[in-house]
Every structure is written in C-alpha cells, then in structure tokens.
Coordinates of all heavy atoms in Angstrom, one line a residue:
M329 N 0.8 -1.2 0.0 CA 0.0 0.0 0.0 C 0.9 1.3 0.0 O 0.5 2.3 -0.7 CB -1.0 -0.1 1.2 CG -2.0 1.1 1.3 SD -3.2 0.8 -0.1 CE -3.9 2.5 -0.1
K330 N 1.9 1.3 0.7 CA 2.8 2.3 0.9 C 3.5 2.7 -0.5 O 3.5 4.0 -0.9 CB 4.0 2.1 1.8 CG 4.7 3.3 2.5 CD 5.5 3.1 3.6 CE 6.8 2.4 3.1 NZ 7.8 2.1 4.3
Y331 N 3.9 1.7 -1.3 CA 4.4 1.8 -2.6 C 3.4 2.4 -3.5 O 3.8 3.2 -4.5 CB 5.1 0.5 -3.1 CG 6.2 0.0 -2.3 CD1 6.0 -1.0 -1.5 CD2 7.4 0.7 -2.3 CE1 7.1 -1.5 -0.8 CE2 8.4 0.3 -1.4 CZ 8.3 -0.9 -0.7 OH 9.4 -1.2 0.0
L332 N 2.1 2.1 -3.4 CA 1.1 2.5 -4.2 C 1.0 4.1 -4.1 O 0.8 4.8 -5.0 CB -0.2 1.9 -3.9 CG -1.2 1.8 -5.1 CD1 -0.8 1.0 -6.3 CD2 -2.6 1.5 -4.4
V333 N 1.1 4.6 -2.8 CA 1.0 6.1 -2.5 C 2.1 6.6 -3.1 O 2.0 7.7 -3.8 CB 0.9 6.3 -1.0 CG1 1.0 7.8 -0.7 CG2 -0.4 5.7 -0.4
V334 N 3.4 6.2 -3.0 CA 4.6 6.8 -3.5 C 4.5 6.8 -5.1 O 4.7 7.9 -5.8 CB 5.8 6.0 -3.2 CG1 7.1 6.5 -4.0 CG2 6.1 6.1 -1.7
L335 N 4.0 5.7 -5.7 CA 3.8 5.6 -7.1 C 2.7 6.8 -7.5 O 3.0 7.5 -8.5 CB 3.3 4.2 -7.5 CG 3.6 3.8 -8.9 CD1 5.2 3.6 -9.0 CD2 2.9 2.5 -9.4
L336 N 1.7 6.9 -6.8 CA 0.6 7.9 -7.1 C 1.2 9.3 -7.1 O 1.0 10.2 -8.0 CB -0.5 7.8 -6.2 CG -1.8 8.4 -6.5 CD1 -2.5 7.8 -7.7 CD2 -2.7 8.6 -5.3
V337 N 2.0 9.5 -6.0 CA 2.6 11.0 -5.9 C 3.5 11.1 -7.1 O 3.5 12.2 -7.6 CB 3.4 11.1 -4.5 CG1 4.3 12.2 -4.4 CG2 2.4 11.1 -3.4
I338 N 4.4 10.3 -7.5 CA 5.2 10.3 -8.6 C 4.5 10.6 -9.9 O 4.7 11.5 -10.6 CB 6.2 9.1 -8.8 CG1 7.2 9.0 -7.6 CG2 6.8 9.2 -10.1 CD1 8.0 7.8 -7.5
F339 N 3.4 9.8 -10.1 CA 2.6 10.1 -11.3 C 2.0 11.4 -11.2 O 2.0 12.1 -12.3 CB 1.5 9.0 -11.3 CG 0.6 9.0 -12.4 CD1 1.0 8.5 -13.5 CD2 -0.7 9.6 -12.2 CE1 0.1 8.6 -14.8 CE2 -1.5 9.6 -13.4 CZ -1.1 9.1 -14.6
V340 N 1.5 11.9 -10.1 CA 0.9 13.2 -10.2 C 1.9 14.3 -10.4 O 1.8 15.2 -11.1 CB 0.1 13.5 -8.7 CG1 -0.2 15.0 -8.5 CG2 -1.2 12.5 -8.7
G341 N 3.1 14.1 -9.8 CA 4.2 15.0 -10.1 C 4.6 15.1 -11.5 O 4.8 16.2 -12.1
V342 N 4.7 14.0 -12.1 CA 5.1 14.0 -13.6 C 4.0 14.7 -14.4 O 4.3 15.4 -15.3 CB 5.4 12.5 -14.1 CG1 5.3 12.4 -15.6 CG2 6.7 11.9 -13.4
W343 N 2.7 14.3 -14.0 CA 1.6 15.0 -14.8 C 1.6 16.4 -14.6 O 1.4 17.2 -15.7 CB 0.3 14.4 -14.2 CG -1.0 14.9 -15.0 CD1 -1.3 14.5 -16.2 CD2 -1.8 15.8 -14.4 NE1 -2.5 15.3 -16.4 CE2 -2.7 16.1 -15.4 CE3 -1.9 16.6 -13.1 CZ2 -3.9 17.1 -15.3 CZ3 -2.9 17.5 -13.2 CH2 -3.9 17.7 -14.1
V344 N 1.8 16.9 -13.5 CA 1.8 18.4 -13.2 C 3.0 19.0 -14.1 O 2.8 20.0 -14.7 CB 2.1 18.8 -11.8 CG1 2.4 20.2 -11.5 CG2 0.7 18.5 -11.1
W345 N 4.2 18.4 -14.0 CA 5.4 18.9 -14.8 C 5.1 18.9 -16.2 O 5.4 19.9 -16.9 CB 6.6 18.0 -14.3 CG 7.8 18.4 -15.1 CD1 8.6 19.4 -14.8 CD2 8.4 17.6 -16.1 NE1 9.6 19.5 -15.7 CE2 9.5 18.3 -16.6 CE3 8.1 16.4 -16.9 CZ2 10.5 17.8 -17.6 CZ3 8.8 16.1 -18.0 CH2 10.0 16.7 -18.3
R346 N 4.5 17.9 -16.7 CA 4.2 17.9 -18.2 C 3.2 18.9 -18.6 O 3.3 19.6 -19.6 CB 3.7 16.4 -18.5 CG 4.8 15.4 -18.9 CD 4.1 14.2 -19.4 NE 3.3 14.4 -20.4 CZ 3.7 14.1 -21.8 NH1 4.7 13.7 -21.9 NH2 2.7 14.3 -22.8
S347 N 2.2 19.1 -17.8 CA 1.2 20.0 -18.2 C 1.9 21.5 -18.2 O 1.5 22.4 -18.9 CB -0.1 19.9 -17.4 OG 0.3 20.0 -16.0
N348 N 2.7 21.8 -17.2 CA 3.3 23.0 -17.2 C 4.2 23.1 -18.3 O 4.3 24.3 -19.0 CB 4.3 23.0 -15.9 CG 3.5 23.6 -14.7 OD1 2.5 24.0 -14.7 ND2 4.2 23.5 -13.5
R349 N 5.0 22.2 -18.8 CA 5.8 22.3 -19.9 C 5.0 22.5 -21.2 O 5.4 23.3 -22.0 CB 6.5 20.9 -20.2 CG 8.0 21.2 -20.0 CD 8.8 19.9 -20.2 NE 8.3 19.0 -21.2 CZ 9.0 18.3 -22.1 NH1 10.3 18.3 -21.8 NH2 8.4 17.7 -23.0
I350 N 3.9 21.9 -21.3 CA 3.0 22.1 -22.5 C 2.5 23.6 -22.6 O 2.5 24.1 -23.6 CB 1.8 21.2 -22.6 CG1 2.4 19.7 -22.8 CG2 0.7 21.5 -23.5 CD1 1.4 18.6 -22.5
A351 N 2.1 24.1 -21.4 CA 1.7 25.4 -21.4 C 2.7 26.4 -21.6 O 2.6 27.4 -22.4 CB 1.1 25.7 -19.9
I352 N 4.0 26.2 -21.3 CA 5.1 27.1 -21.5 C 5.5 27.0 -23.0 O 5.6 28.0 -23.7 CB 6.4 26.6 -20.7 CG1 6.2 27.0 -19.3 CG2 7.7 27.3 -21.2 CD1 7.2 26.4 -18.3
N353 N 5.4 25.8 -23.5 CA 5.7 25.7 -25.1 C 4.6 26.4 -25.9 O 5.0 27.0 -26.8 CB 5.9 24.1 -25.4 CG 7.2 23.5 -25.0 OD1 8.1 24.3 -24.8 ND2 7.1 22.2 -25.1
K354 N 3.4 26.4 -25.4 CA 2.3 26.9 -26.2 C 2.5 28.5 -26.2 O 2.3 29.2 -27.0 CB 1.1 26.5 -25.6 CG -0.3 26.8 -26.4 CD -1.5 26.4 -25.7 CE -2.8 27.0 -26.4 NZ -3.8 27.1 -25.4
D355 N 3.0 29.0 -24.9 CA 3.2 30.4 -24.9 C 4.3 30.8 -25.7 O 4.1 31.8 -26.4 CB 3.6 30.6 -23.3 CG 2.9 31.8 -22.8 OD1 1.8 32.0 -23.1 OD2 3.6 32.6 -21.9
R356 N 5.3 30.1 -25.8 CA 6.5 30.4 -26.6 C 6.1 30.5 -28.1 O 6.4 31.4 -28.8 CB 7.6 29.4 -26.4 CG 8.6 29.7 -25.2 CD 9.8 28.7 -25.4 NE 10.4 28.9 -24.0 CZ 11.0 27.7 -23.5 NH1 11.1 26.6 -24.2 NH2 11.6 27.8 -22.4
Q357 N 5.3 29.5 -28.4 CA 4.8 29.4 -30.0 C 4.0 30.6 -30.2 O 4.2 31.2 -31.3 CB 4.0 28.1 -30.1 CG 3.6 28.0 -31.6 CD 4.8 27.8 -32.5 OE1 5.8 27.1 -32.2 NE2 4.9 28.5 -33.6
E358 N 3.1 30.9 -29.3 CA 2.2 32.2 -29.6 C 3.1 33.5 -29.6 O 2.9 34.3 -30.5 CB 1.2 32.4 -28.4 CG 0.0 31.4 -28.6 CD -0.9 31.5 -27.4 OE1 -0.7 32.3 -26.4 OE2 -1.8 30.7 -27.4
N359 N 4.1 33.5 -28.8 CA 5.1 34.8 -28.9 C 5.8 34.8 -30.2 O 6.0 35.8 -30.8 CB 6.2 34.7 -27.7 CG 5.6 35.1 -26.4 OD1 4.4 35.7 -26.4 ND2 6.1 34.9 -25.3
F360 N 6.2 33.6 -30.6 CA 7.0 33.4 -31.9 C 6.1 33.8 -33.1 O 6.5 34.7 -34.0 CB 7.5 32.0 -32.0 CG 8.3 31.8 -33.4 CD1 9.5 32.1 -33.4 CD2 7.7 31.2 -34.4 CE1 10.4 32.0 -34.5 CE2 8.5 31.0 -35.6 CZ 9.7 31.4 -35.7
D361 N 4.8 33.4 -33.1 CA 3.9 33.7 -34.1 C 3.6 35.3 -34.1 O 3.5 35.9 -35.3 CB 2.5 33.1 -33.9 CG 2.7 31.4 -34.2 OD1 3.7 31.1 -34.7 OD2 1.7 30.7 -33.8
R362 N 3.5 35.9 -32.9 CA 3.2 37.3 -32.9 C 4.4 38.1 -33.5 O 4.2 39.0 -34.2 CB 3.0 37.7 -31.5 CG 1.9 38.7 -31.3 CD 1.4 38.9 -29.9 NE 0.9 37.7 -29.2 CZ 1.3 37.2 -28.0 NH1 2.0 38.0 -27.2 NH2 0.6 36.2 -27.5
E363 N 5.7 37.6 -33.2 CA 6.8 38.3 -33.6 C 6.9 38.1 -35.1 O 7.3 39.1 -35.9 CB 8.0 37.7 -33.0 CG 9.4 38.4 -33.2 CD 9.3 39.9 -32.9 OE1 8.7 40.4 -32.1 OE2 10.1 40.6 -33.6
A364 N 6.7 37.0 -35.7 CA 6.7 36.7 -37.0 C 5.7 37.6 -37.8 O 6.0 38.2 -38.9 CB 6.4 35.3 -37.4
E365 N 4.5 37.8 -37.2 CA 3.5 38.7 -37.8 C 4.0 40.1 -37.9 O 3.7 40.8 -38.7 CB 2.2 38.6 -36.9 CG 1.0 38.7 -37.6 CD -0.2 38.2 -36.7 OE1 -0.6 39.1 -36.0 OE2 -0.6 37.1 -36.8
R366 N 4.6 40.5 -36.7 CA 5.1 41.8 -36.6 C 6.3 42.1 -37.7 O 6.3 43.2 -38.4 CB 5.8 42.1 -35.2 CG 4.9 42.8 -34.3 CD 5.6 43.0 -32.9 NE 6.9 43.3 -32.9 CZ 7.3 44.7 -32.9 NH1 6.4 45.6 -33.0 NH2 8.6 45.0 -33.0
Q367 N 7.1 41.1 -37.9 CA 8.1 41.2 -38.7 C 7.6 41.3 -40.2 O 8.1 42.2 -41.0 CB 9.2 40.1 -38.8 CG 9.9 40.0 -37.5 CD 10.9 41.2 -37.3 OE1 11.4 41.8 -38.3 NE2 10.9 41.7 -36.2
Q368 N 6.6 40.6 -40.5 CA 5.8 40.7 -41.8 C 5.3 42.0 -42.0 O 5.3 42.5 -43.0 CB 4.8 39.5 -41.8 CG 4.2 39.3 -43.3 CD 5.3 39.1 -44.3 OE1 6.2 38.3 -44.0 NE2 5.0 39.7 -45.5
A369 N 4.5 42.5 -40.9 CA 4.0 43.8 -41.0 C 4.9 44.9 -41.2 O 4.6 45.8 -42.0 CB 3.2 44.1 -39.8
K370 N 6.2 44.8 -40.8 CA 7.2 45.7 -41.1 C 7.6 45.8 -42.4 O 7.9 46.7 -43.1 CB 8.5 45.3 -40.2 CG 8.6 46.0 -38.8 CD 9.8 45.7 -38.1 CE 9.7 46.1 -36.6 NZ 10.9 45.5 -36.0
K371 N 7.7 44.6 -43.1 CA 8.2 44.5 -44.5 C 7.1 44.8 -45.5 O 7.4 45.4 -46.5 CB 8.5 43.0 -44.8 CG 10.0 42.7 -44.1 CD 10.4 41.3 -44.6 CE 10.5 40.5 -43.4 NZ 10.6 39.0 -43.8
T372 N 5.8 44.6 -45.0 CA 4.6 44.9 -46.0 C 4.4 46.3 -46.2 O 4.1 47.0 -45.2 CB 3.4 44.1 -45.6 OG1 3.7 42.7 -45.4 CG2 2.4 44.1 -46.7
M373 N 4.4 46.8 -47.4 CA 4.2 48.2 -47.7 C 2.8 48.4 -48.1 O 2.3 47.5 -48.9 CB 5.1 48.7 -48.7 CG 6.5 48.7 -48.4 SD 6.9 49.9 -47.1 CE 7.1 51.3 -47.9
V374 N 2.0 49.4 -47.6 CA 0.7 49.6 -48.0 C 0.5 51.1 -48.4 O 1.3 51.9 -48.0 CB -0.4 49.3 -46.7 CG1 -0.4 47.9 -46.5 CG2 0.0 50.2 -45.6
A375 N -0.4 51.4 -49.2 CA -0.7 52.8 -49.7 C -1.7 53.3 -48.9 O -2.8 52.7 -48.6 CB -1.0 52.7 -51.2
C376 N -1.6 54.7 -48.5 CA -2.7 55.4 -47.8 C -3.9 55.4 -48.9 O -3.7 55.9 -50.0 CB -2.3 56.7 -47.4 SG -3.5 57.8 -46.9
A377 N -5.1 55.0 -48.4 CA -6.2 55.2 -49.3 C -6.6 56.6 -49.6 O -7.4 56.7 -50.6 CB -7.4 54.4 -48.6
H378 N -6.2 57.6 -48.9 CA -6.6 58.9 -49.1 C -5.5 59.7 -50.1 O -5.8 60.2 -51.1 CB -6.7 59.6 -47.8 CG -7.2 61.0 -48.0 ND1 -8.6 61.3 -48.4 CD2 -6.6 62.3 -48.1 CE1 -8.7 62.6 -48.6 NE2 -7.6 63.3 -48.4
C379 N -4.2 59.6 -49.7 CA -3.3 60.4 -50.4 C -2.4 59.4 -51.2 O -1.6 60.0 -52.1 CB -2.4 61.3 -49.5 SG -1.4 60.4 -48.3
G380 N -2.4 58.2 -51.0 CA -1.5 57.3 -51.9 C -0.1 57.1 -51.4 O 0.6 56.3 -52.2
V381 N 0.3 57.7 -50.3 CA 1.7 57.5 -49.9 C 1.9 56.2 -49.4 O 1.0 55.5 -48.8 CB 2.1 58.7 -48.8 CG1 1.5 58.4 -47.5 CG2 3.5 58.8 -48.8
H382 N 3.2 55.7 -49.6 CA 3.3 54.2 -49.3 C 4.1 54.2 -47.8 O 4.9 55.0 -47.7 CB 4.2 53.4 -50.2 CG 3.3 53.0 -51.4 ND1 3.0 53.9 -52.4 CD2 2.9 51.9 -51.7 CE1 2.3 53.2 -53.3 NE2 2.1 51.9 -53.0
L383 N 3.7 53.3 -47.0 CA 4.4 53.2 -45.7 C 4.3 51.8 -45.1 O 3.5 51.0 -45.7 CB 3.7 54.2 -44.8 CG 2.2 54.0 -44.2 CD1 2.0 54.9 -42.9 CD2 1.3 54.5 -45.3
P384 N 5.2 51.5 -44.3 CA 5.1 50.0 -43.8 C 3.8 49.8 -43.1 O 3.3 50.6 -42.5 CB 6.2 49.9 -42.8 CG 7.1 51.1 -43.1 CD 6.3 52.2 -43.7
Q385 N 3.3 48.6 -43.2 CA 1.9 48.3 -42.7 C 1.8 48.5 -41.1 O 0.8 48.8 -40.6 CB 1.6 46.9 -43.0 CG 0.1 46.4 -42.7 CD -0.1 44.9 -43.0 OE1 0.4 44.4 -44.0 NE2 -1.0 44.4 -42.2
I386 N 3.0 48.3 -40.5 CA 3.0 48.3 -39.1 C 2.8 49.8 -38.5 O 2.3 50.1 -37.5 CB 4.3 47.7 -38.5 CG1 4.2 47.5 -37.0 CG2 5.6 48.7 -38.7 CD1 5.2 46.5 -36.4
E387 N 3.1 50.8 -39.5 CA 3.0 52.2 -39.1 C 1.6 52.8 -39.5 O 1.2 53.8 -39.3 CB 4.1 53.0 -39.7 CG 5.4 52.8 -39.0 CD 6.6 53.5 -39.7 OE1 6.3 54.5 -40.4 OE2 7.7 52.9 -39.6
A388 N 1.0 52.0 -40.5 CA -0.4 52.5 -41.1 C -1.4 52.3 -40.2 O -1.4 51.5 -39.2 CB -0.6 51.7 -42.4
L389 N -2.6 53.0 -40.4 CA -3.8 52.9 -39.6 C -4.7 52.2 -40.4 O -4.9 52.6 -41.5 CB -4.2 54.4 -39.1 CG -3.3 55.2 -38.3 CD1 -3.7 56.6 -38.2 CD2 -3.2 54.5 -36.8
A390 N -5.4 51.3 -39.8 CA -6.3 50.5 -40.5 C -7.8 51.1 -40.4 O -8.0 51.5 -39.3 CB -6.3 49.1 -40.0
A391 N -8.4 51.1 -41.4 CA -9.8 51.4 -41.3 C -10.7 50.3 -40.7 O -10.4 49.2 -41.1 CB -10.4 51.9 -42.8
P392 N -11.6 50.6 -39.9 CA -12.5 49.5 -39.4 C -13.3 48.8 -40.6 O -14.0 49.5 -41.2 CB -13.4 50.2 -38.5 CG -13.3 51.6 -38.7 CD -12.1 52.0 -39.3
S393 N -12.8 47.6 -40.8 CA -13.5 46.8 -41.9 C -13.5 45.3 -41.5 O -12.7 44.8 -40.8 CB -12.6 47.0 -43.1 OG -12.9 46.0 -44.1
A394 N -14.7 44.8 -41.8 CA -14.9 43.3 -41.6 C -14.1 42.5 -42.5 O -13.6 41.4 -42.2 CB -16.3 43.1 -41.6
D395 N -13.9 43.0 -43.8 CA -13.3 42.2 -44.8 C -11.9 42.5 -44.8 O -11.5 43.6 -45.1 CB -14.0 42.4 -46.1 CG -13.5 41.5 -47.3 OD1 -12.7 40.5 -47.0 OD2 -13.9 41.7 -48.4
L396 N -11.0 41.4 -44.6 CA -9.5 41.7 -44.6 C -8.9 41.9 -46.0 O -7.9 42.7 -46.2 CB -8.8 40.5 -43.8 CG -8.8 40.6 -42.3 CD1 -8.2 39.4 -41.8 CD2 -8.1 41.7 -41.8
R397 N -9.5 41.3 -47.0 CA -9.0 41.4 -48.4 C -9.1 42.9 -49.0 O -8.4 43.4 -49.7 CB -9.7 40.5 -49.3 CG -8.9 39.1 -49.1 CD -9.7 38.1 -50.1 NE -11.0 38.0 -49.8 CZ -11.9 37.2 -50.5 NH1 -11.3 36.4 -51.5 NH2 -13.1 37.1 -50.1
S398 N -10.1 43.6 -48.4 CA -10.4 45.0 -48.9 C -10.1 46.0 -47.9 O -10.6 47.0 -47.7 CB -11.8 45.2 -49.4 OG -12.7 45.0 -48.4
Q399 N -9.1 45.6 -47.0 CA -8.7 46.4 -45.8 C -8.1 47.7 -46.4 O -7.3 47.7 -47.2 CB -7.7 45.7 -45.0 CG -7.1 46.5 -43.8 CD -8.0 46.6 -42.7 OE1 -8.5 45.8 -42.2 NE2 -8.4 47.9 -42.5
L400 N -8.6 48.8 -45.8 CA -8.0 50.1 -46.2 C -7.0 50.6 -45.2 O -7.2 50.4 -43.9 CB -9.2 51.2 -46.4 CG -10.2 50.9 -47.4 CD1 -11.3 51.9 -47.5 CD2 -9.5 50.9 -48.8
W401 N -6.0 51.2 -45.7 CA -4.8 51.7 -44.7 C -4.7 53.2 -45.0 O -4.8 53.8 -46.1 CB -3.6 51.0 -45.1 CG -3.7 49.5 -44.9 CD1 -3.8 48.6 -45.7 CD2 -3.5 48.8 -43.5 NE1 -3.8 47.4 -45.2 CE2 -3.6 47.5 -43.9 CE3 -3.2 49.3 -42.3 CZ2 -3.5 46.5 -42.8 CZ3 -3.1 48.3 -41.3 CH2 -3.3 46.9 -41.6
F402 N -4.4 53.9 -44.0 CA -4.2 55.3 -44.0 C -2.9 55.7 -43.2 O -2.4 55.0 -42.3 CB -5.4 56.0 -43.3 CG -6.6 55.8 -43.9 CD1 -7.6 54.7 -43.6 CD2 -7.0 56.5 -45.0 CE1 -8.8 54.5 -44.2 CE2 -8.3 56.4 -45.8 CZ -9.1 55.3 -45.3
C403 N -2.3 56.8 -43.6 CA -1.1 57.3 -43.2 C -1.2 58.0 -41.9 O -0.2 58.1 -41.1 CB -0.2 58.2 -44.3 SG -1.1 59.7 -44.6
S404 N -2.4 58.5 -41.6 CA -2.5 59.5 -40.4 C -4.0 59.4 -40.0 O -4.8 59.0 -40.7 CB -2.1 60.9 -40.7 OG -3.0 61.4 -41.7
T405 N -4.3 59.8 -38.8 CA -5.6 59.8 -38.4 C -6.6 60.8 -39.0 O -7.7 60.5 -39.3 CB -5.6 60.2 -36.8 OG1 -5.0 61.3 -36.7 CG2 -5.3 59.1 -36.0
E406 N -6.0 62.0 -39.6 CA -6.7 62.9 -40.4 C -7.2 62.2 -41.7 O -8.4 62.3 -42.1 CB -5.8 64.1 -40.8 CG -5.6 65.0 -39.7 CD -4.4 64.6 -38.9 OE1 -3.4 64.1 -39.5 OE2 -4.2 64.9 -37.7
H407 N -6.4 61.5 -42.4 CA -6.7 60.8 -43.6 C -7.7 59.7 -43.4 O -8.6 59.4 -44.2 CB -5.5 60.3 -44.4 CG -4.7 61.5 -45.0 ND1 -3.6 61.3 -45.8 CD2 -5.0 62.8 -45.0 CE1 -3.1 62.5 -46.2 NE2 -3.9 63.3 -45.7
R408 N -7.7 59.1 -42.1 CA -8.5 58.1 -41.8 C -10.0 58.7 -41.7 O -10.9 58.1 -42.0 CB -8.2 57.3 -40.6 CG -9.0 56.2 -40.4 CD -8.5 55.1 -39.3 NE -8.3 55.7 -38.1 CZ -7.9 55.0 -37.0 NH1 -7.6 53.8 -37.1 NH2 -7.7 55.6 -35.9
Q409 N -10.0 59.9 -41.1 CA -11.3 60.6 -40.9 C -11.8 61.0 -42.2 O -13.1 60.9 -42.4 CB -11.1 61.8 -39.9 CG -10.9 61.4 -38.5 CD -10.5 62.6 -37.6 OE1 -10.2 63.7 -38.1 NE2 -10.5 62.4 -36.4
F410 N -11.0 61.4 -43.2 CA -11.5 61.9 -44.5 C -11.9 60.6 -45.3 O -12.8 60.8 -46.0 CB -10.3 62.5 -45.3 CG -9.9 63.8 -44.7 CD1 -8.6 64.3 -44.8 CD2 -11.0 64.7 -44.3 CE1 -8.3 65.7 -44.2 CE2 -10.5 66.0 -43.8 CZ -9.2 66.5 -43.7
G411 N -11.3 59.5 -45.0 CA -11.8 58.2 -45.7 C -11.0 58.1 -47.1 O -10.2 58.9 -47.4
A412 N -11.4 57.1 -47.8 CA -10.8 56.7 -49.0 C -11.1 57.9 -50.0 O -12.3 58.4 -50.1 CB -11.2 55.5 -49.6
K413 N -10.1 58.3 -50.9 CA -10.4 59.2 -51.8 C -11.2 58.5 -53.0 O -10.9 57.5 -53.5 CB -8.9 59.7 -52.5 CG -9.1 61.0 -53.2 CD -7.7 61.4 -53.7 CE -7.8 62.9 -54.1 NZ -6.4 63.4 -54.3
K414 N -12.2 59.3 -53.4 CA -13.1 58.8 -54.5 C -12.5 58.9 -55.8 O -11.9 60.0 -56.0 CB -14.5 59.6 -54.4 CG -15.2 59.6 -53.1 CD -16.0 58.2 -52.8 CE -16.7 58.3 -51.5 NZ -16.0 58.2 -50.3
A415 N -12.7 58.0 -56.5 CA -12.1 57.9 -58.0 C -13.0 59.0 -58.8 O -14.2 59.0 -58.7 CB -12.2 56.6 -58.6
E416 N -12.2 59.8 -59.5 CA -12.9 60.9 -60.4 C -13.1 60.4 -61.7 O -12.5 59.8 -62.3 CB -12.1 62.0 -60.3 CG -12.4 62.9 -58.9 CD -11.0 63.5 -58.6 OE1 -10.3 63.9 -59.4 OE2 -10.7 63.5 -57.2
Ligands
ZN1145 ZN1 -2.5 59.8 -46.5

C-alpha cells in the first residue's frame, strides 16, 4: 500500500510537470507567431487610401473593416477621418 501511494505521488508530479511544460511551449509558440506577424507587417508596404503615400503596414492605420482583403490603410488619423479618396 505504501508503494502505491509513492507511485501515485510520482505520477501526479510527472503529470503536473508535463502540463506546465505544454503550457510554456504553447506560450513560446504564440510569442513566436506574434513576432513573425510583426516582422511581416514591417516588411509589407501599404498605400494610404486617401493620399496614396506608401508606408510600412506596421505604421499604417487600418480603417475598421470586416473584410480583410479589402482592408483600407491610412497614413494618419486625419486621412482616416477623410476616408478613401473617391475615384474621379
Ligand atoms: Zn494619407
């Protein structure tokens, strides 16, 4: 009976250690994904929908939009307030 208790304690210890490790690895993967996304946003150039100036996506301001494919970007808050320039 004594050995059974010792075995149970070891089993619980290993289980706790493993679940901690899984949580840490998941956290690291999420940080890595976020950093990769940031690096991609630094490299991607977007044009301001109002004045047409190009700037890195990370510095651009996104217009609230549900559709990511037709996402509009702006160089400043003023231009975001003016909205996209209408084609003449
Ligand atoms: Zn602009």
Side-chain angles (χ1 to χ4, degrees):
M329 187 66 196
K330 203 167 80 179
Y331 296 111
L332 201 69
V333 171
V334 169
L335 208 69
L336 191 74
V337 167
I338 289 170
F339 181 78
V340 168
V342 168
W343 181 75
V344 167
W345 176 74
R346 272 183 58 95
S347 53
N348 273 349
R349 245 178 42 140
I350 289 167
I352 288 168
N353 282 344
K354 196 177 160 201
D355 225 37
R356 274 192 198 147
Q357 185 61 44
E358 278 171 7
N359 282 344
F360 182 79
D361 289 348
R362 218 171 297 138
E363 184 57 28
E365 212 169 86
R366 259 174 51 82
Q367 290 301 325
Q368 187 58 40
K370 270 186 194 170
K371 283 187 240 161
T372 307
M373 297 293 279
V374 291
C376 173
H378 186 75
C379 66
V381 77
H382 284 78
L383 66 161
Q385 189 182 326
I386 199 159
E387 293 173 22
L389 299 167
S393 164
D395 188 5
L396 281 176
R397 277 182 300 181
S398 63
Q399 176 72 61
L400 294 176
W401 298 96
F402 296 95
C403 65
S404 61
T405 49
E406 289 86 36
H407 284 182
R408 186 164 64 178
Q409 281 169 355
F410 290 142
K413 199 170 191 176
K414 303 278 182 287
E416 285 143 32

